[in-house]
Short mmCIF file of all heavy atoms in Angstrom, two decimals:
data_model
loop_
_atom_site.label_atom_id
_atom_site.label_comp_id
_atom_site.label_asym_id
_atom_site.label_seq_id
_atom_site.Cartn_x
_atom_site.Cartn_y
_atom_site.Cartn_z
N GLY A 253 0.78 -1.23 0.00
CA GLY A 253 0.00 0.00 0.00
C GLY A 253 0.81 1.28 0.00
O GLY A 253 0.28 2.36 -0.22
N ASP A 254 2.12 1.19 0.25
CA ASP A 254 2.97 2.38 0.25
C ASP A 254 3.25 2.81 -1.18
O ASP A 254 3.33 1.99 -2.09
CB ASP A 254 4.31 2.09 0.94
CG ASP A 254 4.16 1.88 2.43
OD1 ASP A 254 3.16 2.35 3.01
OD2 ASP A 254 5.05 1.23 3.02
N TYR A 255 3.42 4.12 -1.36
CA TYR A 255 3.80 4.65 -2.67
C TYR A 255 5.32 4.63 -2.75
O TYR A 255 6.01 5.22 -1.93
CB TYR A 255 3.30 6.07 -2.85
CG TYR A 255 1.80 6.17 -2.93
CD1 TYR A 255 1.06 6.76 -1.92
CD2 TYR A 255 1.11 5.64 -4.01
CE1 TYR A 255 -0.31 6.85 -1.99
CE2 TYR A 255 -0.27 5.72 -4.09
CZ TYR A 255 -0.97 6.33 -3.08
OH TYR A 255 -2.33 6.40 -3.17
N SER A 256 5.86 3.94 -3.75
CA SER A 256 7.31 3.80 -3.85
C SER A 256 7.83 4.07 -5.25
O SER A 256 8.94 3.70 -5.58
CB SER A 256 7.73 2.40 -3.42
OG SER A 256 7.17 1.48 -4.33
N GLY A 257 7.03 4.70 -6.07
CA GLY A 257 7.45 5.02 -7.43
C GLY A 257 6.46 5.97 -8.06
O GLY A 257 5.46 6.35 -7.44
N TYR A 258 6.74 6.35 -9.29
CA TYR A 258 5.86 7.27 -9.99
C TYR A 258 5.96 7.03 -11.49
O TYR A 258 6.92 6.44 -11.97
CB TYR A 258 6.17 8.72 -9.65
CG TYR A 258 7.60 9.12 -9.88
CD1 TYR A 258 8.02 9.60 -11.12
CD2 TYR A 258 8.54 9.03 -8.87
CE1 TYR A 258 9.33 9.97 -11.33
CE2 TYR A 258 9.85 9.39 -9.06
CZ TYR A 258 10.25 9.87 -10.30
OH TYR A 258 11.55 10.22 -10.51
N SER A 259 4.94 7.49 -12.19
CA SER A 259 4.94 7.36 -13.65
C SER A 259 4.20 8.55 -14.25
O SER A 259 3.47 9.27 -13.56
CB SER A 259 4.28 6.05 -14.08
OG SER A 259 2.92 6.04 -13.70
N PHE A 260 4.38 8.71 -15.54
CA PHE A 260 3.69 9.76 -16.27
C PHE A 260 2.79 9.10 -17.30
O PHE A 260 3.09 8.04 -17.83
CB PHE A 260 4.70 10.69 -16.97
CG PHE A 260 5.46 11.55 -16.00
CD1 PHE A 260 6.64 11.11 -15.45
CD2 PHE A 260 4.98 12.79 -15.64
CE1 PHE A 260 7.34 11.88 -14.54
CE2 PHE A 260 5.67 13.58 -14.74
CZ PHE A 260 6.86 13.12 -14.19
N VAL A 261 1.66 9.74 -17.55
CA VAL A 261 0.72 9.27 -18.55
C VAL A 261 0.41 10.43 -19.49
O VAL A 261 0.60 11.60 -19.15
CB VAL A 261 -0.59 8.74 -17.91
CG1 VAL A 261 -0.32 7.46 -17.16
CG2 VAL A 261 -1.21 9.76 -16.99
N VAL A 262 -0.03 10.10 -20.70
CA VAL A 262 -0.38 11.11 -21.69
C VAL A 262 -1.81 10.82 -22.15
O VAL A 262 -2.22 9.65 -22.25
CB VAL A 262 0.63 11.14 -22.86
CG1 VAL A 262 0.64 9.85 -23.63
CG2 VAL A 262 0.41 12.33 -23.75
N TYR A 263 -2.54 11.88 -22.42
CA TYR A 263 -3.93 11.71 -22.85
C TYR A 263 -3.98 11.42 -24.33
O TYR A 263 -3.44 12.16 -25.15
CB TYR A 263 -4.75 12.95 -22.51
CG TYR A 263 -6.23 12.77 -22.74
CD1 TYR A 263 -6.96 11.95 -21.91
CD2 TYR A 263 -6.87 13.38 -23.80
CE1 TYR A 263 -8.31 11.75 -22.11
CE2 TYR A 263 -8.21 13.20 -24.02
CZ TYR A 263 -8.94 12.38 -23.16
OH TYR A 263 -10.27 12.19 -23.37
N ASP A 264 -4.64 10.32 -24.69
CA ASP A 264 -4.83 9.91 -26.08
C ASP A 264 -6.17 10.46 -26.54
O ASP A 264 -7.23 9.94 -26.16
CB ASP A 264 -4.78 8.38 -26.17
CG ASP A 264 -4.94 7.88 -27.59
OD1 ASP A 264 -5.02 8.70 -28.53
OD2 ASP A 264 -4.99 6.64 -27.76
N ASP A 265 -6.15 11.52 -27.36
CA ASP A 265 -7.38 12.16 -27.82
C ASP A 265 -8.26 11.22 -28.63
O ASP A 265 -9.48 11.24 -28.52
CB ASP A 265 -7.05 13.39 -28.68
CG ASP A 265 -6.54 14.55 -27.86
OD1 ASP A 265 -6.98 14.70 -26.71
OD2 ASP A 265 -5.69 15.31 -28.37
N GLU A 266 -7.63 10.38 -29.44
CA GLU A 266 -8.38 9.48 -30.31
C GLU A 266 -9.22 8.48 -29.52
O GLU A 266 -10.40 8.28 -29.79
CB GLU A 266 -7.41 8.74 -31.24
CG GLU A 266 -8.09 7.93 -32.30
CD GLU A 266 -7.07 7.33 -33.25
OE1 GLU A 266 -6.22 8.08 -33.76
OE2 GLU A 266 -7.12 6.09 -33.44
N ASN A 267 -8.60 7.84 -28.51
CA ASN A 267 -9.30 6.84 -27.70
C ASN A 267 -9.91 7.42 -26.43
O ASN A 267 -10.59 6.72 -25.69
CB ASN A 267 -8.35 5.70 -27.33
CG ASN A 267 -7.86 4.96 -28.55
OD1 ASN A 267 -8.59 4.78 -29.51
ND2 ASN A 267 -6.61 4.54 -28.52
N GLN A 268 -9.60 8.67 -26.15
CA GLN A 268 -10.05 9.37 -24.95
C GLN A 268 -9.71 8.59 -23.68
O GLN A 268 -10.55 8.38 -22.81
CB GLN A 268 -11.54 9.67 -25.03
CG GLN A 268 -11.89 10.62 -26.14
CD GLN A 268 -13.34 11.04 -26.15
OE1 GLN A 268 -14.17 10.48 -25.45
NE2 GLN A 268 -13.63 12.05 -26.94
N THR A 269 -8.43 8.19 -23.60
CA THR A 269 -7.93 7.48 -22.42
C THR A 269 -6.54 8.00 -22.06
O THR A 269 -5.85 8.60 -22.89
CB THR A 269 -7.81 5.96 -22.67
OG1 THR A 269 -6.92 5.76 -23.78
CG2 THR A 269 -9.16 5.32 -22.95
N TRP A 270 -6.14 7.75 -20.83
CA TRP A 270 -4.79 8.05 -20.38
C TRP A 270 -3.95 6.81 -20.58
O TRP A 270 -4.31 5.73 -20.12
CB TRP A 270 -4.79 8.45 -18.90
CG TRP A 270 -5.45 9.76 -18.65
CD1 TRP A 270 -6.76 9.96 -18.32
CD2 TRP A 270 -4.84 11.04 -18.72
NE1 TRP A 270 -7.00 11.30 -18.19
CE2 TRP A 270 -5.84 11.99 -18.42
CE3 TRP A 270 -3.56 11.48 -19.01
CZ2 TRP A 270 -5.59 13.36 -18.40
CZ3 TRP A 270 -3.31 12.84 -18.98
CH2 TRP A 270 -4.31 13.77 -18.68
N THR A 271 -2.82 6.95 -21.29
CA THR A 271 -1.94 5.81 -21.52
C THR A 271 -0.56 6.10 -20.93
O THR A 271 -0.13 7.25 -20.86
CB THR A 271 -1.78 5.51 -23.03
OG1 THR A 271 -1.29 6.68 -23.68
CG2 THR A 271 -3.10 5.11 -23.63
N ALA A 272 0.11 5.02 -20.53
CA ALA A 272 1.44 5.16 -19.93
C ALA A 272 2.40 5.78 -20.93
O ALA A 272 2.40 5.43 -22.12
CB ALA A 272 1.95 3.81 -19.48
N TYR A 273 3.21 6.72 -20.47
CA TYR A 273 4.23 7.34 -21.30
C TYR A 273 5.53 6.60 -21.00
O TYR A 273 6.06 6.68 -19.89
CB TYR A 273 4.34 8.83 -20.96
CG TYR A 273 5.12 9.61 -21.98
CD1 TYR A 273 4.53 10.00 -23.17
CD2 TYR A 273 6.44 9.98 -21.74
CE1 TYR A 273 5.23 10.73 -24.11
CE2 TYR A 273 7.14 10.72 -22.68
CZ TYR A 273 6.54 11.09 -23.86
OH TYR A 273 7.23 11.82 -24.79
N ASP A 274 6.03 5.85 -21.96
CA ASP A 274 7.16 4.96 -21.68
C ASP A 274 8.48 5.42 -22.29
O ASP A 274 9.40 4.64 -22.44
CB ASP A 274 6.84 3.54 -22.13
CG ASP A 274 6.45 3.48 -23.61
OD1 ASP A 274 6.43 4.53 -24.26
OD2 ASP A 274 6.16 2.36 -24.09
N GLN A 275 8.60 6.69 -22.64
CA GLN A 275 9.87 7.19 -23.17
C GLN A 275 10.70 7.76 -22.03
O GLN A 275 10.19 8.44 -21.15
CB GLN A 275 9.61 8.26 -24.23
CG GLN A 275 8.91 7.70 -25.46
CD GLN A 275 8.70 8.78 -26.50
OE1 GLN A 275 9.29 9.84 -26.45
NE2 GLN A 275 7.83 8.50 -27.46
N ARG A 276 12.00 7.46 -22.09
CA ARG A 276 12.91 7.96 -21.05
C ARG A 276 12.98 9.47 -21.09
O ARG A 276 12.89 10.03 -22.13
CB ARG A 276 14.30 7.38 -21.28
CG ARG A 276 14.37 5.89 -21.02
CD ARG A 276 15.78 5.45 -21.08
NE ARG A 276 16.52 6.15 -20.04
CZ ARG A 276 17.12 5.58 -19.03
NH1 ARG A 276 17.10 4.30 -18.92
NH2 ARG A 276 17.76 6.28 -18.13
N PRO A 277 13.10 10.13 -20.01
CA PRO A 277 13.16 9.69 -18.62
C PRO A 277 11.79 9.73 -17.92
O PRO A 277 11.72 9.68 -16.71
CB PRO A 277 14.09 10.72 -17.99
CG PRO A 277 13.77 11.98 -18.71
CD PRO A 277 13.44 11.56 -20.12
N LEU A 278 10.71 9.80 -18.69
CA LEU A 278 9.39 9.91 -18.10
C LEU A 278 8.69 8.57 -17.89
O LEU A 278 7.52 8.53 -17.53
CB LEU A 278 8.50 10.82 -18.96
CG LEU A 278 9.01 12.24 -19.20
CD1 LEU A 278 8.04 13.02 -20.06
CD2 LEU A 278 9.27 12.96 -17.91
N GLU A 279 9.39 7.47 -18.10
CA GLU A 279 8.79 6.15 -17.90
C GLU A 279 8.66 5.86 -16.40
O GLU A 279 9.15 6.63 -15.57
CB GLU A 279 9.60 5.06 -18.60
CG GLU A 279 10.84 4.61 -17.87
CD GLU A 279 12.06 5.49 -18.11
OE1 GLU A 279 11.95 6.53 -18.75
OE2 GLU A 279 13.14 5.11 -17.64
N LEU A 280 8.03 4.75 -16.07
CA LEU A 280 7.85 4.33 -14.68
C LEU A 280 9.19 4.31 -13.96
O LEU A 280 10.17 3.78 -14.47
CB LEU A 280 7.22 2.93 -14.65
CG LEU A 280 7.14 2.25 -13.29
CD1 LEU A 280 6.19 2.98 -12.37
CD2 LEU A 280 6.72 0.81 -13.46
N HIS A 281 9.22 4.91 -12.78
CA HIS A 281 10.45 4.97 -11.99
C HIS A 281 10.18 4.48 -10.58
O HIS A 281 9.29 4.99 -9.90
CB HIS A 281 10.99 6.40 -11.95
CG HIS A 281 12.26 6.53 -11.17
ND1 HIS A 281 13.46 6.07 -11.64
CD2 HIS A 281 12.49 7.05 -9.95
CE1 HIS A 281 14.39 6.33 -10.73
NE2 HIS A 281 13.82 6.91 -9.69
N LYS A 282 10.92 3.46 -10.17
CA LYS A 282 10.84 2.95 -8.80
C LYS A 282 11.89 3.65 -7.95
O LYS A 282 13.04 3.77 -8.37
CB LYS A 282 11.07 1.44 -8.76
CG LYS A 282 10.01 0.64 -9.48
CD LYS A 282 8.74 0.64 -8.68
CE LYS A 282 7.71 -0.25 -9.35
NZ LYS A 282 6.42 -0.16 -8.74
N LEU A 283 11.51 4.07 -6.77
CA LEU A 283 12.44 4.75 -5.87
C LEU A 283 13.32 3.74 -5.14
O LEU A 283 12.91 2.59 -4.94
CB LEU A 283 11.65 5.57 -4.86
CG LEU A 283 10.86 6.72 -5.44
CD1 LEU A 283 9.95 7.33 -4.38
CD2 LEU A 283 11.76 7.78 -6.01
N PRO A 284 14.51 4.16 -4.72
CA PRO A 284 15.36 3.26 -3.93
C PRO A 284 14.67 2.86 -2.62
O PRO A 284 13.78 3.54 -2.13
CB PRO A 284 16.61 4.11 -3.64
CG PRO A 284 16.62 5.15 -4.70
CD PRO A 284 15.19 5.42 -5.03
N GLU A 285 15.11 1.75 -2.08
CA GLU A 285 14.55 1.20 -0.84
C GLU A 285 14.51 2.25 0.26
O GLU A 285 15.48 2.95 0.50
CB GLU A 285 15.41 0.01 -0.38
CG GLU A 285 14.87 -0.73 0.80
CD GLU A 285 13.66 -1.56 0.47
OE1 GLU A 285 13.55 -2.01 -0.68
OE2 GLU A 285 12.83 -1.76 1.36
N GLY A 286 13.36 2.36 0.91
CA GLY A 286 13.22 3.25 2.06
C GLY A 286 12.65 4.62 1.75
O GLY A 286 12.16 5.30 2.63
N ILE A 287 12.72 5.07 0.51
CA ILE A 287 12.19 6.39 0.15
C ILE A 287 10.70 6.24 -0.16
O ILE A 287 10.30 5.40 -0.93
CB ILE A 287 12.94 7.00 -1.05
CG1 ILE A 287 14.42 7.20 -0.71
CG2 ILE A 287 12.30 8.32 -1.45
CD1 ILE A 287 15.25 7.75 -1.84
N GLN A 288 9.89 7.06 0.49
CA GLN A 288 8.44 7.03 0.34
C GLN A 288 7.94 8.35 -0.22
O GLN A 288 8.62 9.37 -0.12
CB GLN A 288 7.77 6.79 1.70
CG GLN A 288 8.13 5.46 2.33
CD GLN A 288 7.49 4.31 1.60
OE1 GLN A 288 6.32 4.37 1.25
NE2 GLN A 288 8.24 3.25 1.38
N LEU A 289 6.74 8.32 -0.78
CA LEU A 289 6.10 9.51 -1.36
C LEU A 289 4.74 9.74 -0.73
O LEU A 289 4.04 8.80 -0.37
CB LEU A 289 5.90 9.32 -2.86
CG LEU A 289 7.13 9.15 -3.72
CD1 LEU A 289 6.74 8.65 -5.10
CD2 LEU A 289 7.85 10.47 -3.83
N GLN A 290 4.37 11.02 -0.63
CA GLN A 290 3.03 11.38 -0.18
C GLN A 290 2.60 12.59 -1.01
O GLN A 290 3.32 13.59 -1.09
CB GLN A 290 3.04 11.72 1.30
CG GLN A 290 1.68 12.08 1.84
CD GLN A 290 1.72 12.37 3.32
OE1 GLN A 290 2.79 12.46 3.92
NE2 GLN A 290 0.57 12.54 3.91
N LEU A 291 1.44 12.49 -1.64
CA LEU A 291 0.95 13.53 -2.55
C LEU A 291 -0.28 14.19 -1.97
O LEU A 291 -1.22 13.51 -1.54
CB LEU A 291 0.62 12.92 -3.91
CG LEU A 291 0.09 13.86 -4.98
CD1 LEU A 291 1.12 14.91 -5.35
CD2 LEU A 291 -0.32 13.07 -6.22
N SER A 292 -0.28 15.51 -1.97
CA SER A 292 -1.43 16.29 -1.55
C SER A 292 -1.80 17.21 -2.71
O SER A 292 -0.98 18.01 -3.16
CB SER A 292 -1.08 17.11 -0.30
OG SER A 292 -2.12 17.98 0.02
N VAL A 293 -3.05 17.07 -3.18
CA VAL A 293 -3.50 17.84 -4.34
C VAL A 293 -4.61 18.78 -3.92
O VAL A 293 -5.53 18.37 -3.20
CB VAL A 293 -4.01 16.89 -5.46
CG1 VAL A 293 -4.53 17.68 -6.64
CG2 VAL A 293 -2.90 15.95 -5.90
N GLU A 294 -4.53 20.03 -4.36
CA GLU A 294 -5.57 21.00 -4.04
C GLU A 294 -6.87 20.59 -4.71
O GLU A 294 -6.90 20.26 -5.90
CB GLU A 294 -5.14 22.37 -4.55
CG GLU A 294 -6.04 23.50 -4.10
CD GLU A 294 -5.49 24.84 -4.54
OE1 GLU A 294 -4.39 25.20 -4.07
OE2 GLU A 294 -6.16 25.51 -5.34
#
């Protein structure tokens, strides 16, 4: 349940869905052991 990585997605206008963006350096990134994330959005 802990957040230990992050990824970017891009909106596909044609299919009207969010798809994973897999080009470096915006692809899925796992953080090193012990580093945690917490996100607060307005």
Side-chain angles (χ1 to χ4, degrees):
D254 291 337
Y255 293 111
S256 64
Y258 54 88
S259 64
F260 289 89
V261 291
V262 63
Y263 188 71
D264 181 4
D265 287 327
E266 188 175 308
N267 297 324
Q268 295 186 349
T269 59
W270 291 93
T271 57
Y273 194 79
D274 56 0
Q275 295 181 15
R276 291 188 61 117
L278 303 180
E279 79 277 6
L280 171 67
H281 180 73
K282 295 287 184 187
L283 295 171
E285 186 73 29
I287 298 178
Q288 297 289 317
L289 297 167
Q290 182 178 8
L291 180 64
S292 173
V293 178
E294 189 175 296

